[in-house]
Amino acid sequence: MSETTNHPHPATPEAAAPAPPEPGAYRPLSLTAVAGFGLAALYALVVALGALAAFWTGSPLLLPGWTLLVPVAGVALSLWGAARIKSAEGTLAGDRIARWGLLLSLFTGLTYWAYYAATYFAVQQQADAFARDFLDRLIQGKVDSAFVLALRPVDRRPEDANLRNELEVRHNAVGQNGTAGLLTGFHQKDVVRMLSQSDGPPQIHSRGVSHWEYANGGYKVSLNYTIETTRFVFDMALTVQGNESRHKEFEGRQWYVVIEESGISREGDKSMTPEGQEMMGFSGRGLQAAQYWMQLLQTGHHDDAYLMTLLPAERKRVGGGGAKLVGDVGLGYFLLDGLPVGTQGLGASPAALTLQAGLAASYAMLHEYRDLLRSSSLPGGYPAYRKFLDGDLVRAEEGVFWAADKKRREAFIRAARGLFRMGGEDIQATWRLEQITVPIARKVGDRVQVEHDFSLRDMSAGNLLEGRLVLDCAAGISAEEANNPEAWRVVRLDLIRGKSVPLGTAGPEGMAQPRR
């Protein structure tokens, strides 16, 4: 029996593993790891130098947003480089460089952007709180107090009983081109009128910060809001500036509203609620009635102008009397306008002075006679009509009407009351209704009351009088009925301020002094 000889099969050769590099052999650095470390080092250097400069100048270190990409790229390159080195199984060097690049990018980037985020949220909260305080003052009708927040802190004065005088003197001078003063213009801004006329608390919704920067020695923040009142819904941009105070009377960061960069956002514009549409409709028709009433005064129809100060149900004329005998104007106007008023060329002799006094007395007497004839058919008769001609509609309430001193205050009141004695084109040349986008309108009982801003300019004397003409009508009338000026009643003229106009200011020429 043959023996079986077991011969071992030859071993199968295994895949040869790469030989480890010999000690001291050259291994190239990973360029990716080097790039990651380079970006990390560069970013750390920029942040360090910027921090030193910020400390030296006292300003914050605010890098542009795109610089966040630098540490992010440093982290990405460092991780990529570390992965390539590991997969190279010892043929690439630089794992320590990749690790340092990763750590440096993370540390510098997280530290700086944590500082940036903390600064942003702190500044944003301060700016928002200040902006809402400003809006709240407008909502409460404290317009002068809100205006104070639009002044630089160094220009502010205590909000005491003398605040109005301080604001008028310091911040409401008429411009050289005849433009309204800063305070007047602020009172007439759309946003101011829209917020102060809401019948309920407006809803203010923040839409965040559109832009912020460190400029002019402080933080400048542009805030955006959507505001809903009972009449309007609109988007508003409100820019505020906050500077660290260097004055002893102020502590901490002081903010103010940058008015020229604030207002209704153009892209959002504004829309009106049904109530807003109704009140704006009344305002527009009230303006037409106010213009019609001023035209009556301008053309000498004082009796018809007087009737518009009564309720429509009270305007019925009561008989003809003397006014019918002369046709309202007739003989009285003929004698009045034909009578010489001055004594030019007669010198200053006693006879001339006596004649002048006699003419003045005759002139006054004819005025009285004309008024008596006109009033004979008017409700209330001569006493009521005479009060109208004497400017009884003019109101100059303490705390509302401002003038520099008592003497000028009385002169402005006389000028306003003299409107009711003027005739011809004098009124058209000097008294005008301002074109305000959002007039004041409110419901008072069963009537709607509107107020339209007016100005009275006396360029020869260098004076400007500002006020509001107040009218009302029944709240329940239709739009068609409200289009008729006779549906409206002229309630009063509220005087707001009287001030001087600088020489050379553009405006209507040659306002004649009112005839008494």
Side-chain angles (χ1 to χ4, degrees):
M1 187 173 174
S2 60
E3 295 182 359
T4 303
T5 304
N6 295 326
H7 297 284
H9 295 282
T12 303
E14 296 181 359
E22 297 180 3
Y26 172 75
R27 291 183 301 164
L29 287 173
S30 170
L31 295 180
T32 307
V34 172
F37 179 80
L39 283 179
L42 176 63
Y43 188 75
L45 180 63
V46 170
V47 171
L49 293 177
L52 289 175
F55 177 78
W56 182 263
T57 60
S59 60
L61 174 60
L62 300 178
L63 299 177
W66 63 265
T67 60
L68 177 60
L69 298 176
V70 178
V72 171
V75 169
L77 289 174
S78 296
L79 289 174
W80 187 16
R84 289 193 62 190
I85 293 171
K86 184 177 181 180
S87 64
E89 298 184 350
T91 60
L92 283 178
D95 55 336
R96 186 172 296 180
I97 292 177
R99 190 160 49 249
W100 275 106
L102 175 63
L103 293 177
L104 189 57
S105 292
L106 287 174
F107 176 78
T108 310
L110 291 176
T111 300
Y112 172 74
W113 287 101
Y115 157 81
Y116 184 94
T119 303
Y120 168 79
F121 284 112
V123 170
Q124 186 267 343
Q125 288 180 352
Q126 291 180 15
D128 180 68
F130 176 81
R132 288 179 182 272
D133 182 26
F134 172 77
L135 295 174
D136 285 342
R137 297 187 188 197
L138 292 179
I139 292 169
Q140 297 170 20
K142 300 177 181 179
V143 181
D144 286 349
S145 180
F147 180 78
V148 170
L149 298 186
L151 301 175
R152 294 176 182 272
V154 295
D155 295 329
R156 295 175 188 169
R157 294 296 180 270
E159 295 188 36
D160 52 21
N162 198 44
L163 176 64
R164 172 73 182 281
N165 186 67
E166 289 282 347
L167 295 181
E168 295 285 358
V169 172
R170 293 175 176 270
H171 305 287
N172 210 23
V174 182
Q176 289 292 335
N177 57 354
T179 56
L182 292 177
L183 181 63
T184 296
F186 183 79
H187 275 260
Q188 295 175 347
K189 282 185 173 295
D190 290 357
V191 169
V192 174
R193 294 285 176 88
M194 290 159 66
L195 287 176
S196 62
Q197 294 187 69
S198 180
D199 294 330
Q203 300 296 316
I204 302 176
H205 308 283
S206 175
R207 295 193 297 113
V209 175
S210 60
H211 177 72
W212 78 298
E213 62 178 334
Y214 190 83
N216 303 318
Y219 293 101
K220 189 175 186 179
V221 186
S222 297
L223 302 153
N224 295 285
Y225 299 96
T226 295
I227 301 178
E228 301 178 21
T229 75
T230 56
R231 301 186 189 181
F232 301 95
V233 178
F234 59 96
D235 293 333
M236 180 180 183
L238 190 58
T239 299
V240 296
Q241 175 87 31
N243 294 70
E244 296 296 335
S245 175
R246 298 181 181 178
H247 298 270
K248 295 181 179 179
E249 61 268 31
F250 303 112
E251 294 182 359
R253 186 173 295 127
Q254 301 295 315
W255 294 88
Y256 64 92
V257 177
V258 185
I259 288 295
E260 59 271 19
E261 299 181 23
S262 303
I264 297 175
S265 300
R266 291 184 178 180
E267 63 273 13
D269 206 354
K270 62 178 181 290
S271 60
M272 288 184 285
T273 66
E275 179 184 335
Q277 293 175 353
E278 179 188 24
M279 300 309 290
M280 286 296 289
F282 275 116
S283 295
R285 297 175 183 98
L287 177 61
Q288 296 176 2
Q291 293 169 336
Y292 174 76
W293 183 74
M294 289 178 61
Q295 186 177 16
L296 291 177
L297 288 178
Q298 174 205 338
T299 55
H301 293 83
H302 292 75
D303 48 349
D304 290 324
Y306 164 73
L307 288 175
M308 278 193 68
T309 66
L310 307 175
L311 290 170
E314 300 172 349
R315 295 176 186 171
K316 185 177 181 181
R317 293 180 183 263
V318 288
K324 294 300 180 183
L325 296 177
V326 296
D328 277 333
V329 287
L331 178 62
Y333 270 129
F334 175 77
L335 293 175
L336 183 64
D337 293 339
L339 186 67
V341 182
T343 56
Q344 293 84 356
L346 297 180
S349 63
L353 294 176
T354 301
L355 177 59
Q356 186 178 25
L359 289 175
S362 300
Y363 192 75
M365 181 184 68
L366 285 176
H367 261 298
E368 296 290 338
Y369 180 63
R370 180 198 62 180
D371 297 342
L372 183 61
L373 292 178
R374 280 183 162 182
S375 64
S376 61
S377 64
L378 298 177
Y382 180 70
Y385 183 55
R386 177 58 189 267
K387 288 177 66 177
F388 169 78
L389 295 177
D390 286 341
D392 186 58
L393 288 182
V394 175
R395 301 287 187 274
E397 304 292 340
E398 291 289 341
V400 176
F401 177 55
W402 177 88
D405 52 60
K406 184 177 180 180
K407 182 178 180 181
R408 292 182 64 80
R409 176 186 177 88
E410 294 173 350
F412 280 120
I413 294 174
R414 286 196 303 270
R417 290 176 174 165
L419 290 170
F420 300 90
R421 290 285 187 173
M422 297 171 67
E425 297 181 354
D426 293 338
I427 294 177
Q428 185 182 32
T430 61
W431 188 22
R432 71 178 185 186
L433 292 170
E434 303 294 342
Q435 299 299 314
I436 306 299
T437 307
V438 184
I440 298 174
R442 61 176 65 89
K443 288 187 177 180
V444 181
D446 61 348
R447 300 187 70 78
V448 174
Q449 189 175 96
V450 300
E451 302 179 16
H452 290 283
D453 297 63
F454 73 83
S455 62
L456 174 63
R457 296 173 182 264
D458 181 353
M459 306 313 296
S460 61
N463 293 327
L464 172 65
L465 181 64
E466 297 175 350
R468 296 193 187 115
L469 177 59
V470 183
L471 303 91
D472 69 6
C473 70
I477 64 175
S478 65
E480 183 178 357
E481 292 173 311
N483 280 329
N484 184 355
E486 294 184 359
W488 291 82
R489 174 180 64 165
V490 178
V491 179
R492 64 183 184 272
L493 273 74
D494 288 332
L495 303 187
I496 306 299
R497 61 182 56 86
K499 52 190 177 181
S500 299
V501 179
L503 296 177
T505 299
E509 298 180 356
M511 169 178 148
Q513 295 297 325
R515 294 183 293 183
R516 303 297 295 176

